[in-house]
Amino acid sequence: MGRDGGVSCLMRAEMNMMSVGGMESAPAPSDLDEVHVLAVDDSLVDRIVIERLLRINSCKVTAVDSGWRALEFLGLDNDKASAQLDRLKVDLIITDYCMPGMTGYELLKKIKESSNFREVPVVIMSSENVLTRIDRCLEEGAQDFLLKPVKLADVKRLRSHLATKDDVKLSNGNKRKLPQDSDPVTITPPLTISTESSPPLTISHDSSDSSSSSSPVEMFSSSPIDDDEDDDVLTSSPEESPIRRQKMRSPGLD
Amino acid sequence: MDLVQMQKSLQDYTKSLFLEGILDSQFLQLQQLQDESNPDFVSQVVTLFFQDSDRILNDLSLSLGQQVVDFKKVDPHVHQLKGSSSSIGAQRVKNACVVFRNFCEQQNVEACHRCLQQVKQEYYLVKNRLETLFKLEQQIVASGGMIPAVELGF
């Protein structure tokens, strides 16, 4: 979806300076197929966590600490209509709602007002479950609203939405079933989506922080994540296995 | 203590933190984000949380210590601390912040002072417990062992 909105694939030189606190900068042209997420949060702890959540789901991440920095990154910080040919590839913008200066809502509005980025899905995160707030954001065009603290299941769901938006018909919203769901442990190869309007999206496992044996995007499909978040937390399947999740072994005693 | 015993101790210790409500499931979320490529993720995030929180608690003490308390300054700090404690699963700190915010809204200085004490107490508690947890983990790793998964059963 983000690919239709006049967002082409070239990179601006200025992008590199926008990385805050050692966060990853925007993707190089060779990484065009990877999903690039712009994350906005004034809280350092939350930025670190959301960045990791996204990267473990095979996204490239640029994390900034304010709405102003986000606009700067997107080249929307000046008023002149951008006629520039080189634009950023941003597939998703995820922003905190409550931020000093510019709120996530205000940032959302500015993004939706821009011709370059209005097609990019914007997700709002908030620690407060206020219906009027949620409604306002959705009305303004937000793609989704996540309640903090953000969980792995939330990001997986977002990620799958990005992967399948233009292609697979979802009969029941986000709760899709893959053919393999009879065996929830099966790892399927990464989805390759081809549509007329966008280049193939291949979920890359080159990112340094995915364990090579797992395909995080696939794993959640066997259960409706929205309902079973807690189950997902406590009983995540072995394939996602970081070191922590490995069963105890008696160390070399046998 | 041999490795197996250390691993068991760690498991029991971790479980106790959940049972006492000091940590909630969000901490488990963080653990799921740790793997071979990011083996210290949890302790890194938690360390950042400690640094952030120390600063916030300091600011709060200053703000509440003023002759005339400016709640417009106090509330954002508490909000921030509530957010970060929630993000790492420090449940009791988060809950104390929720109470704190209510009294900020009421502009009740007395109550806010008490809340700050409560938040500090909970914060030092979770800090202490997590530092112990990380030490246990380090001992296991130093002995060549692996950190066992937490089997919680609830």
Side-chain angles (χ1 to χ4, degrees), chain A residues 16-31:
Chain A
N16 289 322
M17 74 181 183
M18 291 318 303
S19 302
V20 177
M23 301 286 175
E24 195 173 327
S25 58
S30 58
D31 301 322

Side-chain angles (χ1 to χ4, degrees), chain A residues 43-46 48-49 52-53 56 98 127-128 148-153 208-211 230 232-234 236 240-246 248-251 253, chain B residues 3-4 7-8 11 25-26 28-38 41 45 48-49 52 79 82-84 86-88 101 137 146-150 152 154:
Chain A
S43 157
L44 178 58
V45 169
D46 287 355
I48 302 277
V49 174
R52 180 74 182 126
L53 281 168
I56 212 170
C98 271
S127 55
E128 270 133 17
K148 280 183 161 185
V150 179
K151 297 173 167 33
L152 206 53
S208 58
D209 51 16
S210 317
S211 134
D230 290 327
D232 194 55
V233 167
L234 296 175
S236 60
E240 284 182 63
S241 198
I243 250 178
R244 174 158 294 285
R245 304 307 277 169
Q246 291 183 17
M248 274 182 66
R249 298 174 194 162
S250 52
L253 294 176
Chain B
L3 189 56
V4 176
Q7 286 167 324
K8 177 85 175 40
Q11 274 196 310
S25 63
Q26 189 61 19
L28 291 175
Q29 290 283 322
L30 290 192
Q31 289 182 328
Q32 285 189 75
L33 298 178
Q34 184 161 292
D35 61 17
E36 301 84 18
S37 64
N38 281 58
F41 180 72
V45 178
L48 277 173
F49 167 71
D52 213 32
H79 173 84
K82 183 191 125 201
S84 54
S86 163
S87 293
I88 68 143
R101 284 195 89 197
E137 285 185 351
M146 302 232 282
I147 299 166
V150 177
L152 282 179
F154 59 72

Side-chain angles (χ1 to χ4, degrees), chain A residues 190-201:
Chain A
L191 291 174
T192 305
I193 313 278
S194 297
T195 67
E196 288 141 36
S197 54
S198 60
L201 171 64

Side-chain angles (χ1 to χ4, degrees), chain B residues 22 26 28 30 32-33 42 45 81 93 110 112 114 117 120 124 141 146 148-149 154:
Chain B
I22 294 173
Q26 189 61 19
L28 291 175
L30 290 192
Q32 285 189 75
L33 298 178
V42 181
V45 178
L81 184 56
V93 177
E110 269 302 313
C112 282
R114 287 197 298 271
Q117 291 322 306
K120 279 184 176 172
Y124 293 133
V141 170
M146 302 232 282
F154 59 72

Side-chain angles (χ1 to χ4, degrees), chain A residues 180-197:
Chain A
Q180 294 87 355
D181 69 347
S182 56
D183 178 9
V185 158
T186 304
I187 312 290
T188 59
L191 291 174
T192 305
I193 313 278
S194 297
T195 67
E196 288 141 36
S197 54

